[in-house]
Amino acid sequence: MSRRALRRLRGEQRGQEGPGLGELGLDPGPERAREGGPPPAPGKGPRGPSRAGVSNRFELIPAEESEDEPAAGEERPDTRLSEQYMAGGSQEGSKDRSKEGAVPEETDGDGHREGQEAEQQDRALAMNNKPRKKKKKRKTKKNSAGETVEDNDLEDIDSLLERIEDPRLAPQSQGGITTDSRPLLYVEHRNLNPENELKRYFGARAVLGDQRPRQRQRQYVRSMWLTAPKNTWPRYSKTGITMQLLDTRRGVQHFTFEHHREYQQVQFKFLDAVESMDPNNIVLLLQMNPYHVDSLLQLSDVCRMQEDQEMARDLIERALYSLECAFHPVFSLTSGTCRLDYRRPENRAFFLALFKHLMFLEKRGCPRTALEFCKLILSLDPENDPLCVLLLIDFLSLRAREYTFLTRLFQEWESHRNLSQLPNFAFSVPLAYFFLSQQEERPELERSQARERAARLIQLALIMFPSVLMPLLDQCSVQPDTRVASHPFFGLNAQISQSPALNQLTSLYVGRTHALWKDPAVMAWLEPHVHEVLRMVEAQDALVQEAEHKRKIRYQSAPRNIYRHIILSEMKEATAALPLEVTSQPVMGFDPLPPLDSIVSYTRPERTSHPSNESTLSLFFRSLLPNFNLQGDIRHDGDDEAGAAQDLNQGVNRLMAAMRDMLANIQFQEPPRDDNPEGDGDWD
């Protein structure tokens, strides 16, 4: 209530506040009766302990309600106060008039007390109105776990999301294995940021350091999901790359990147720079076009070969930033229903940038973030899998301890993708079930089922791929017992008899995941199953014969995407097993092993010269005289003798003309003049 409303209730006008009634010697009884206030009790002083009514009208306001906002459906405090005041004043006034007896006159101190009470009332109103705007009720919310969370706790969004996505609170299937209602290749935005994973490991203070206060002064940059822009990067401008929606079939949207004319010209210059075999030409091209994607990918490989890992990673992140700025508004990273065709050269840069960024994240110690990028690559083309990330996703799942995701992927895709025929899935899935059986927080029924599945699947893996065991034990520095080492089923004969394609897969798996098998508990779990397999081999079990027949029929030659994956992974064990037809051809970092059925939207213009048809003498003269061209235009009647003689004469004439031009352009520099003819000293 404002002071103006208070004066109206007291019957005063502004500027008419006079001295107290006690100071004027007037009887305050009628005035107090008119205002509705009770007269003082007879025989009591102004500070008497008891009064007939309420001396302070504002005692009607509860102390708790003055600090809180009115709830929904309640009246405002000011309105309630005025109504209670008017009702209370009229009732008290009628009671005072019905009372008998003389009203004693107020003394001088009572009038002064009334003035102080008015000031205290104004001050109380101001204090009651002020916190009502600032203080609010502490609302409580409940999360999906049933725990009460206050507003202060809601500020830490990451911790709340981790609590919500606790695997112990996830729904479970009838078999006891945890299931998830989300799509299999669902990508979470928060898991694409490696800083979130590093914060969980080391804390926000260790990761961010002094970056928090500096972010306030940072210039505005566009927020991205795949990578965070850096202040050291050049200012971004449109590069000429766009994304178009081709069509939508069965709820799946097919997109493609497109290169505008100006970007095509830059692409042609980049191809010329690559053919020059000089990285400095790519650097010069990037200075003019700092966000050309293929130049960033190729220069990143050069920096990585020169052991400059930080610069190589920075260039890959810049390429991802350039491509994400060109996304279509409908393109979604998380839905798992957006597709890109690797056969189109414009789309390959996005696949390769994601894969190389994934490899940097895994080396950096962020396997959970790398797994999310791996799921993203697989969701772009799950049918063809152009980079064959299925050979990598099991390793990242084990590193990130996402055992439930790996087992779910195996259960849902085994029927139509035959994942058990890949050595990595044949060995990694039982290892994931073993780790699930070791988690004490899971129910005993679920742990026992995981233990049984792990035992059954590891035996099938050892029967199907016996050549994995001995190299795996060798990498783990484990010496097998004499029975296993001397048995021919796991011996050297198993490695020699397998096909080169299968040898590449097993070498890739052993070289990549051997560190996960070094755990003594894992080796203790593996040993009895190895002996059980040897017992089945000696008993000539039907499963052993069937597995041997499958190895002879299958794995005759590896598809092109597996070769592409081995080249990008750079595993020495697998790269050494590549066939000659792959190692003999040049492999470019911006487009390794392009598909044979590529969909080309634009072609590079033909060059005027044809160096491949020139002779050694012609190349020698060209190195001396850049203007020399012996062959000139290609003649279709080159077999004719007269035409050959004429071409020879024209070639000689061109050689002479080129030599004349060279001699005419030679300029002799004058010797430098000696400004000091006397010299610095004698030559005696």
Side-chain angles (χ1 to χ4, degrees):
M1 181 181 293
S2 62
R3 295 188 178 184
R4 180 180 301 175
L6 181 61
R7 285 194 298 269
R8 288 180 181 176
L9 292 175
R10 292 166 54 184
E12 298 177 355
Q13 298 294 333
R14 187 174 182 180
Q16 295 181 359
E17 297 83 1
L21 297 177
E23 296 178 1
L24 299 176
L26 301 177
D27 187 4
E31 179 66 23
R32 186 177 291 272
R34 182 173 60 84
E35 292 180 1
K44 299 292 183 180
R47 298 183 181 272
S50 62
R51 294 195 179 200
V54 181
S55 61
N56 187 0
R57 309 181 191 94
F58 302 98
E59 290 179 358
L60 298 173
I61 304 176
E64 294 83 0
E65 295 179 0
S66 63
E67 296 180 359
D68 297 337
E69 291 234 349
E74 296 182 358
E75 299 176 359
R76 294 188 60 84
D78 297 344
T79 307
R80 187 175 64 231
L81 173 63
S82 60
E83 292 178 356
Q84 290 181 356
Y85 170 75
M86 297 301 295
S90 59
Q91 292 175 4
E92 292 173 1
S94 59
K95 290 180 182 179
D96 293 340
R97 285 191 295 270
S98 62
K99 287 186 179 181
E100 296 180 357
V103 179
E105 297 180 357
E106 287 192 9
T107 59
D108 213 8
D110 291 334
H112 185 63
R113 181 189 179 93
E114 183 180 1
Q116 292 180 351
E117 287 180 358
E119 295 179 359
Q120 293 177 359
Q121 293 165 5
D122 296 342
R123 204 176 298 113
L125 278 175
M127 294 298 294
N128 290 339
N129 291 335
K130 185 175 181 180
R132 191 172 63 236
K133 297 179 181 178
K134 294 184 178 180
K135 292 187 178 180
K136 295 184 179 181
K137 282 188 177 180
R138 260 183 155 179
K139 299 180 181 180
T140 59
K141 299 181 180 180
K142 288 188 177 181
N143 58 7
S144 61
E147 302 174 357
T148 302
V149 183
E150 295 183 354
D151 286 341
N152 295 338
D153 298 332
L154 294 177
E155 296 176 358
D156 193 358
I157 300 177
D158 292 339
S159 61
L160 180 60
L161 290 175
E162 290 176 2
R163 219 178 312 165
I164 291 175
E165 297 176 359
D166 193 347
R168 293 173 292 181
L169 306 175
Q172 296 183 355
S173 62
Q174 296 179 359
I177 302 300
T178 305
T179 59
D180 196 347
S181 59
R182 296 177 300 185
L184 179 63
L185 300 180
Y186 175 80
V187 178
E188 301 180 46
H189 277 149
R190 68 186 184 93
N191 288 332
L192 293 175
N193 188 359
E195 288 188 357
N196 294 337
E197 184 174 3
L198 294 176
K199 288 177 187 177
R200 290 195 294 268
Y201 296 154
F202 308 106
R205 186 181 300 274
V207 175
L208 297 179
D210 299 334
Q211 295 181 9
R212 290 182 176 178
R214 295 179 183 176
Q215 288 181 354
R216 298 180 180 177
Q217 302 177 358
R218 180 180 176 180
Q219 58 181 356
Y220 174 76
V221 292
R222 186 176 177 181
S223 178
M224 292 297 173
W225 291 114
L226 297 179
T227 183
K230 299 180 181 178
N231 293 330
T232 57
W233 290 357
R235 185 175 180 180
Y236 178 79
S237 59
K238 291 186 178 181
T239 59
I241 302 180
T242 58
M243 178 182 282
Q244 299 295 331
L245 175 62
L246 296 179
D247 59 352
T248 302
R249 299 189 299 267
R250 299 179 181 179
V252 178
Q253 298 171 327
H254 296 264
F255 295 86
T256 182
F257 285 97
E258 290 186 354
H259 293 173
H260 291 177
R261 184 177 299 275
E262 58 273 12
Y263 192 88
Q264 295 178 11
Q265 300 298 325
V266 179
Q267 186 73 12
F268 298 151
K269 295 179 181 178
F270 164 73
L271 296 177
D272 294 339
V274 171
E275 291 181 356
S276 68
M277 306 299 292
D278 188 1
N280 294 325
N281 295 332
I282 303 178
V283 174
L284 295 176
L285 183 63
L286 277 177
Q287 291 179 356
M288 301 298 297
N289 306 274
Y291 287 95
H292 182 255
V293 179
D294 286 348
S295 299
L296 293 171
L297 296 179
Q298 188 69 26
L299 191 60
S300 175
D301 289 346
V302 175
C303 294
R304 185 169 44 80
M305 294 177 184
Q306 297 176 355
E307 302 298 331
D308 192 354
Q309 301 292 334
E310 188 67 23
M311 178 58 68
R313 181 167 59 89
D314 186 78
L315 293 173
I316 294 297
E317 292 179 358
R318 200 197 302 182
L320 283 176
Y321 177 75
S322 176
L323 291 170
E324 190 174 0
C325 290
F327 278 178
H328 192 274
V330 187
F331 186 81
S332 174
L333 295 172
T334 61
S335 63
T337 59
C338 297
R339 301 288 185 265
L340 287 174
D341 194 349
Y342 191 81
R343 295 177 300 173
R344 297 180 179 271
E346 296 87 350
N347 298 336
R348 296 172 194 167
F350 187 54
F351 282 89
L352 296 172
L354 288 175
F355 189 90
K356 294 182 179 183
H357 185 58
L358 175 156
M359 299 302 293
F360 281 117
L361 289 173
E362 192 273 328
K363 295 177 181 178
R364 190 181 175 186
C366 301
R368 184 65 184 87
T369 309
L371 174 62
E372 213 68 15
F373 276 92
C374 189
K375 291 162 59 178
L376 175 59
I377 297 175
L378 188 59
S379 67
L380 295 177
D381 194 355
E383 291 80 12
N384 300 316
D385 192 12
L387 300 184
C388 205
V389 293
L390 283 177
L391 299 178
L392 176 65
I393 196 170
D394 62 298
F395 168 68
L396 296 177
S397 301
L398 294 175
R399 282 281 316 271
R401 300 182 180 180
E402 293 291 330
Y403 312 125
T404 305
F405 167 76
L406 180 58
T407 56
R408 182 189 173 191
L409 175 64
F410 181 76
Q411 292 172 2
E412 294 186 8
W413 284 24
E414 168 62 18
S415 58
H416 65 281
R417 299 294 291 269
N418 293 328
L419 296 182
S420 59
Q421 302 305 307
L422 294 174
N424 59 313
F425 272 93
F427 281 88
S428 294
V429 172
L431 185 60
Y433 276 117
F434 169 73
F435 287 137
L436 287 174
S437 66
Q438 299 298 112
Q439 295 179 354
E440 299 180 355
E441 65 271 11
R442 294 186 177 273
E444 184 60 30
L445 176 61
E446 182 179 346
R447 294 176 60 188
S448 62
Q449 291 179 351
R451 197 177 301 111
E452 294 175 0
R453 294 183 181 181
R456 177 170 50 87
L457 291 176
I458 192 61
Q459 293 178 12
L460 293 177
L462 290 172
I463 293 174
M464 187 65 192
F465 306 104
S467 60
V468 175
L469 179 64
M470 298 306 294
L472 183 62
L473 296 179
D474 187 28
Q475 291 285 346
C476 297
S477 302
V478 175
Q479 183 68 28
D481 55 11
T482 56
R483 182 190 178 192
V484 176
S486 60
H487 203 283
F489 185 75
F490 292 119
L492 185 61
N493 187 28
Q495 304 177 28
I496 298 176
S497 60
Q498 67 181 1
S499 62
L502 183 57
N503 187 25
Q504 295 162 13
L505 295 177
T506 56
S507 301
L508 182 66
Y509 178 74
V510 172
R512 176 175 285 163
T513 61
H514 64 88
L516 300 174
W517 293 82
K518 288 185 177 181
D519 191 357
V522 175
M523 284 297 169
W525 162 73
L526 178 64
E527 183 178 3
H529 298 298
V530 173
H531 289 284
E532 178 64 22
V533 169
L534 289 180
R535 187 193 64 78
M536 297 173 63
V537 171
E538 294 173 355
Q540 296 183 355
D541 194 286
L543 289 176
V544 180
Q545 304 297 330
E546 182 182 358
E548 184 179 359
H549 180 67
K550 289 181 179 179
R551 287 196 303 270
K552 290 181 179 180
I553 297 178
R554 302 174 182 176
Y555 313 106
Q556 296 300 322
S557 62
R560 200 172 180 84
N561 60 341
I562 292 182
Y563 293 150
R564 195 178 296 122
H565 176 87
I566 294 175
I567 292 174
L568 291 174
S569 300
E570 297 182 352
M571 298 295 300
K572 296 180 180 179
E573 296 82 1
T575 307
L578 286 174
L580 184 61
E581 68 236 8
V582 176
T583 57
S584 60
Q585 56 181 320
V587 178
M588 299 298 177
F590 66 95
D591 191 8
L593 295 181
L596 301 178
D597 55 346
S598 300
I599 303 176
V600 181
S601 59
Y602 65 94
T603 57
R604 182 183 179 186
E606 296 182 0
R607 307 185 67 176
T608 57
S609 60
H610 304 275
S612 59
N613 298 329
E614 295 184 5
S615 61
T616 306
L617 181 62
S618 175
L619 293 176
F620 172 72
F621 282 117
R622 178 175 293 278
S623 63
L624 297 177
L625 308 172
N627 296 331
F628 170 69
N629 185 9
L630 177 63
Q631 293 182 347
D633 297 334
I634 298 178
R635 297 177 56 92
H636 299 284
D637 54 350
D639 297 336
D640 189 14
E641 296 180 358
Q646 185 178 2
D647 290 341
L648 179 59
N649 294 332
Q650 292 179 358
V652 173
N653 294 332
R654 292 193 190 95
L655 176 60
M656 298 302 296
M659 294 182 65
R660 282 195 297 268
D661 293 341
M662 182 187 69
L663 295 176
N665 294 329
I666 292 178
Q667 297 180 0
F668 297 96
Q669 295 182 355
E670 297 181 359
R673 296 181 178 179
D674 192 0
D675 295 336
N676 187 10
E678 297 180 358
D680 296 333
D682 297 334
W683 289 90
D684 294 337

